[in-house]
Amino acid sequence: DLGLESMQLYPSFIEELQAETGIDVDFRLFSPHDGIVDPAALLRALQCACESRQVRILREHVTTVEPRDYAAVVIAAGAWSGQVRVKDVTLPTVVPIKGHLIGFQLESGVLGPTRRLGETYVLQRSNGFLIAGSNEQDIGFDHTVDAAICEDIHRRAAQLFQPLEHATPVKRWIGFRPRSATGDPHLGRVEGTNVWLAYGHYRNGILLTPVTAQRVADEIEL
Protein backbone atom coordinates (compact mmCIF):
# COMPACT_ATOMS: atom_id res chain seq x y z
CA ASP A 1 0.00 0.00 0.00
CA LEU A 2 2.84 2.39 0.80
CA GLY A 3 4.43 1.69 -2.57
CA LEU A 4 1.17 2.29 -4.42
CA GLU A 5 0.66 5.55 -2.55
CA SER A 6 4.16 6.70 -3.47
CA MET A 7 3.77 5.67 -7.10
CA GLN A 8 0.66 7.84 -7.36
CA LEU A 9 2.74 10.79 -6.17
CA TYR A 10 5.54 10.20 -8.67
CA PRO A 11 4.26 11.96 -11.82
CA SER A 12 3.61 15.29 -10.06
CA PHE A 13 6.80 14.88 -7.98
CA ILE A 14 8.91 14.41 -11.12
CA GLU A 15 7.12 17.18 -13.02
CA GLU A 16 7.85 19.68 -10.25
CA LEU A 17 11.44 18.51 -9.83
CA GLN A 18 12.28 18.66 -13.54
CA ALA A 19 10.55 22.04 -13.97
CA GLU A 20 12.55 23.49 -11.09
CA THR A 21 15.95 22.04 -12.03
CA GLY A 22 15.81 21.36 -15.76
CA ILE A 23 17.34 17.92 -15.10
CA ASP A 24 15.85 14.97 -16.98
CA VAL A 25 15.63 12.04 -14.54
CA ASP A 26 14.53 9.56 -17.24
CA PHE A 27 11.15 8.84 -15.65
CA ARG A 28 9.05 6.60 -17.90
CA LEU A 29 5.73 4.73 -17.49
CA PHE A 30 5.24 1.42 -19.31
CA SER A 31 1.90 0.81 -17.56
CA PRO A 32 -0.54 3.05 -15.65
CA HIS A 33 0.66 1.83 -12.25
CA ASP A 34 4.40 1.35 -12.74
CA GLY A 35 7.46 3.10 -14.08
CA ILE A 36 11.24 3.48 -13.89
CA VAL A 37 13.55 6.36 -13.07
CA ASP A 38 17.32 6.90 -13.09
CA PRO A 39 18.34 7.01 -9.39
CA ALA A 40 21.60 8.86 -10.05
CA ALA A 41 19.84 11.56 -12.08
CA LEU A 42 17.10 11.79 -9.45
CA LEU A 43 19.72 12.40 -6.76
CA ARG A 44 21.40 15.11 -8.86
CA ALA A 45 18.08 16.83 -9.40
CA LEU A 46 17.17 16.70 -5.70
CA GLN A 47 20.57 18.14 -4.78
CA CYS A 48 20.12 20.92 -7.34
CA ALA A 49 16.65 21.70 -6.00
CA CYS A 50 17.96 21.87 -2.44
CA GLU A 51 20.81 24.19 -3.40
CA SER A 52 18.44 26.48 -5.32
CA ARG A 53 16.43 26.80 -2.09
CA GLN A 54 19.52 27.85 -0.12
CA VAL A 55 19.97 24.47 1.62
CA ARG A 56 23.52 23.95 2.89
CA ILE A 57 24.85 20.51 1.99
CA LEU A 58 27.82 19.42 4.10
CA ARG A 59 29.63 16.20 3.20
CA GLU A 60 30.78 14.85 6.52
CA HIS A 61 31.04 11.44 8.17
CA VAL A 62 28.55 11.80 11.02
CA THR A 63 28.70 9.24 13.83
CA THR A 64 26.99 11.09 16.67
CA VAL A 65 24.07 13.54 16.77
CA GLU A 66 22.89 15.73 19.65
CA PRO A 67 19.19 16.39 18.88
CA ARG A 68 19.05 19.40 21.20
CA ASP A 69 21.33 21.27 18.81
CA TYR A 70 18.62 21.28 16.12
CA ALA A 71 14.92 22.04 15.68
CA ALA A 72 14.46 18.68 13.94
CA VAL A 73 16.71 15.76 13.08
CA VAL A 74 16.01 13.27 10.28
CA ILE A 75 18.01 10.04 10.22
CA ALA A 76 18.16 8.98 6.58
CA ALA A 77 21.52 7.28 6.10
CA GLY A 78 20.29 4.15 4.36
CA ALA A 79 22.07 0.96 5.37
CA TRP A 80 24.34 2.99 7.67
CA SER A 81 21.49 4.57 9.65
CA GLY A 82 21.73 2.14 12.55
CA GLN A 83 25.36 3.10 13.07
CA VAL A 84 24.51 6.72 13.88
CA ARG A 85 24.43 7.43 17.61
CA VAL A 86 21.66 9.82 18.62
CA LYS A 87 21.89 10.99 22.23
CA ASP A 88 19.11 9.55 24.42
CA VAL A 89 17.47 7.83 21.43
CA THR A 90 17.70 4.15 20.51
CA LEU A 91 17.48 3.77 16.76
CA PRO A 92 15.99 0.64 15.16
CA THR A 93 18.64 -1.46 13.46
CA VAL A 94 18.94 -2.26 9.78
CA VAL A 95 21.03 -4.89 8.02
CA PRO A 96 22.99 -4.06 4.84
CA ILE A 97 21.97 -6.53 2.13
CA LYS A 98 24.61 -6.54 -0.59
CA GLY A 99 23.53 -6.76 -4.20
CA HIS A 100 25.48 -6.92 -7.47
CA LEU A 101 24.56 -5.21 -10.75
CA ILE A 102 26.09 -5.20 -14.20
CA GLY A 103 25.66 -2.71 -17.04
CA PHE A 104 25.89 -2.85 -20.84
CA GLN A 105 26.07 0.01 -23.33
CA LEU A 106 23.66 -0.85 -26.13
CA GLU A 107 21.69 0.97 -28.77
CA SER A 108 18.95 3.07 -27.22
CA GLY A 109 15.49 1.54 -27.25
CA VAL A 110 16.43 -2.06 -28.07
CA LEU A 111 14.95 -3.56 -24.91
CA GLY A 112 11.58 -1.87 -24.56
CA PRO A 113 9.77 -2.43 -21.24
CA THR A 114 11.57 -3.86 -18.24
CA ARG A 115 11.77 -7.66 -18.16
CA ARG A 116 11.83 -9.71 -14.97
CA LEU A 117 11.82 -13.38 -13.95
CA GLY A 118 12.21 -14.17 -10.25
CA GLU A 119 15.17 -12.19 -8.91
CA THR A 120 16.51 -11.49 -12.41
CA TYR A 121 15.63 -8.31 -14.26
CA VAL A 122 16.86 -6.14 -17.12
CA LEU A 123 15.96 -2.50 -17.77
CA GLN A 124 17.32 0.14 -20.09
CA ARG A 125 17.89 3.87 -19.69
CA SER A 126 17.04 6.28 -22.49
CA ASN A 127 20.74 6.67 -23.31
CA GLY A 128 21.03 2.95 -24.07
CA PHE A 129 22.68 1.87 -20.80
CA LEU A 130 21.13 -1.48 -19.88
CA ILE A 131 21.22 -2.71 -16.28
CA ALA A 132 20.95 -6.36 -15.24
CA GLY A 133 20.51 -7.64 -11.69
CA SER A 134 20.58 -8.91 -9.12
CA ASN A 135 21.43 -10.98 -6.05
CA GLU A 136 21.27 -10.68 -2.26
CA GLN A 137 23.97 -11.37 0.34
CA ASP A 138 23.72 -10.81 4.08
CA ILE A 139 27.47 -10.43 4.64
CA GLY A 140 27.81 -6.93 6.09
CA PHE A 141 29.56 -4.01 4.39
CA ASP A 142 31.67 -6.05 1.99
CA HIS A 143 32.55 -3.84 -0.98
CA THR A 144 34.09 -6.63 -3.08
CA VAL A 145 32.71 -7.09 -6.59
CA ASP A 146 32.49 -10.86 -7.11
CA ALA A 147 33.23 -11.82 -10.72
CA ALA A 148 31.46 -15.19 -10.40
CA ILE A 149 28.25 -13.53 -9.19
CA CYS A 150 28.42 -11.02 -12.04
CA GLU A 151 28.84 -13.87 -14.52
CA ASP A 152 25.80 -15.63 -13.05
CA ILE A 153 23.72 -12.45 -13.36
CA HIS A 154 24.94 -12.10 -16.96
CA ARG A 155 23.87 -15.66 -17.75
CA ARG A 156 20.43 -15.19 -16.18
CA ALA A 157 19.92 -11.82 -17.87
CA ALA A 158 20.75 -13.30 -21.29
CA GLN A 159 17.88 -15.74 -20.80
CA LEU A 160 15.57 -12.74 -20.51
CA PHE A 161 17.18 -10.76 -23.36
CA GLN A 162 19.12 -12.91 -25.82
CA PRO A 163 21.35 -10.12 -27.29
CA LEU A 164 23.17 -9.97 -23.94
CA GLU A 165 24.58 -13.45 -24.50
CA HIS A 166 27.46 -12.10 -26.60
CA ALA A 167 27.60 -8.60 -25.09
CA THR A 168 30.36 -7.50 -22.71
CA PRO A 169 29.48 -5.60 -19.53
CA VAL A 170 31.01 -2.12 -19.32
CA LYS A 171 30.33 -1.77 -15.60
CA ARG A 172 30.03 -4.03 -12.55
CA TRP A 173 29.12 -2.66 -9.14
CA ILE A 174 27.44 -3.36 -5.79
CA GLY A 175 25.04 -1.60 -3.46
CA PHE A 176 23.72 -2.04 0.06
CA ARG A 177 19.96 -2.25 0.70
CA PRO A 178 18.87 -1.34 4.24
CA ARG A 179 16.62 -4.13 5.51
CA SER A 180 14.78 -3.76 8.80
CA ALA A 181 13.88 -6.64 11.09
CA THR A 182 10.30 -6.62 9.80
CA GLY A 183 11.09 -5.70 6.20
CA ASP A 184 9.09 -2.48 6.54
CA PRO A 185 10.73 0.96 6.53
CA HIS A 186 11.27 2.97 9.70
CA LEU A 187 9.27 6.05 8.85
CA GLY A 188 8.10 8.77 11.23
CA ARG A 189 8.83 10.48 14.51
CA VAL A 190 10.48 8.83 17.48
CA GLU A 191 7.90 9.40 20.17
CA GLY A 192 8.72 12.17 22.62
CA THR A 193 11.68 13.48 20.60
CA ASN A 194 12.50 15.84 17.75
CA VAL A 195 14.00 12.94 15.79
CA TRP A 196 12.42 11.45 12.66
CA LEU A 197 13.35 8.19 10.95
CA ALA A 198 13.45 7.73 7.18
CA TYR A 199 15.36 4.53 6.48
CA GLY A 200 15.00 0.77 6.17
CA HIS A 201 13.37 0.93 2.73
CA TYR A 202 15.25 -2.20 1.60
CA ARG A 203 14.86 -2.50 -2.20
CA ASN A 204 12.20 0.21 -2.50
CA GLY A 205 14.08 3.38 -1.55
CA ILE A 206 13.65 5.13 -4.90
CA LEU A 207 10.02 4.06 -5.20
CA LEU A 208 9.23 5.36 -1.71
CA THR A 209 11.07 8.68 -2.10
CA PRO A 210 7.99 10.92 -2.62
CA VAL A 211 5.85 9.42 0.14
CA THR A 212 8.78 9.39 2.58
CA ALA A 213 9.55 13.04 1.91
CA GLN A 214 5.91 14.05 2.15
CA ARG A 215 5.18 12.24 5.41
CA VAL A 216 8.32 13.37 7.21
CA ALA A 217 8.06 16.98 6.00
CA ASP A 218 4.36 17.19 6.92
CA GLU A 219 5.02 15.91 10.44
CA ILE A 220 7.92 18.29 11.01
CA GLU A 221 5.83 21.26 9.83
CA LEU A 222 3.00 20.51 12.28
Side-chain angles (χ1 to χ4, degrees), residues 27-205:
F27 177 63
R28 290 176 288 157
L29 288 162
F30 291 112
S31 73
H33 306 293
D34 203 2
I36 59 174
V37 69
D38 183 343
L42 182 67
L43 183 61
R44 288 195 300 271
L46 287 169
Q47 179 177 323
C48 180
C50 286
E51 291 174 343
S52 70
R53 299 183 183 204
Q54 309 304 311
V55 175
R56 290 179 61 212
I57 299 177
L58 305 177
R59 290 174 173 82
E60 299 178 358
H61 182 200
V62 177
T63 58
T64 305
V65 176
E66 170 53 84
R68 291 179 297 183
D69 292 342
Y70 308 95
V73 173
V74 179
I75 306 299
W80 293 265
S81 296
Q83 297 183 355
V84 179
R85 297 293 172 260
V86 181
K87 190 171 182 181
D88 298 325
V89 177
T90 300
L91 296 181
T93 61
V94 286
V95 176
I97 302 299
K98 179 181 178 181
H100 284 70
L101 296 161
I102 58 176
F104 304 82
Q105 191 60 52
L106 302 179
E107 181 182 351
S108 178
V110 296
L111 177 66
T114 299
R115 301 184 186 186
R116 180 167 186 161
L117 179 63
E119 291 300 310
T120 308
Y121 63 86
V122 289
L123 61 87
Q124 190 177 33
R125 306 292 182 213
S126 295
N127 63 5
F129 188 64
L130 186 145
I131 299 170
S134 182
N135 76 313
E136 294 188 355
Q137 293 175 288
D138 186 356
I139 57 174
F141 289 101
D142 175 11
H143 293 262
T144 304
V145 176
D146 190 314
I149 292 176
C150 292
E151 290 171 3
D152 178 62
I153 293 173
H154 190 169
R155 177 188 57 79
R156 290 188 277 125
Q159 294 175 350
L160 284 177
F161 187 53
Q162 193 275 333
L164 294 181
E165 184 175 349
H166 301 292
T168 301
V170 296
K171 185 177 180 181
R172 302 174 177 87
W173 73 103
I174 60 99
F176 298 108
R177 300 107 165 200
R179 186 182 69 190
S180 69
T182 63
D184 297 322
H186 301 302
L187 185 58
R189 188 174 192 167
V190 178
E191 187 176 356
T193 74
N194 66 331
V195 177
W196 277 262
L197 309 181
Y199 65 89
H201 296 70
Y202 197 23
R203 300 183 70 163
N204 293 307

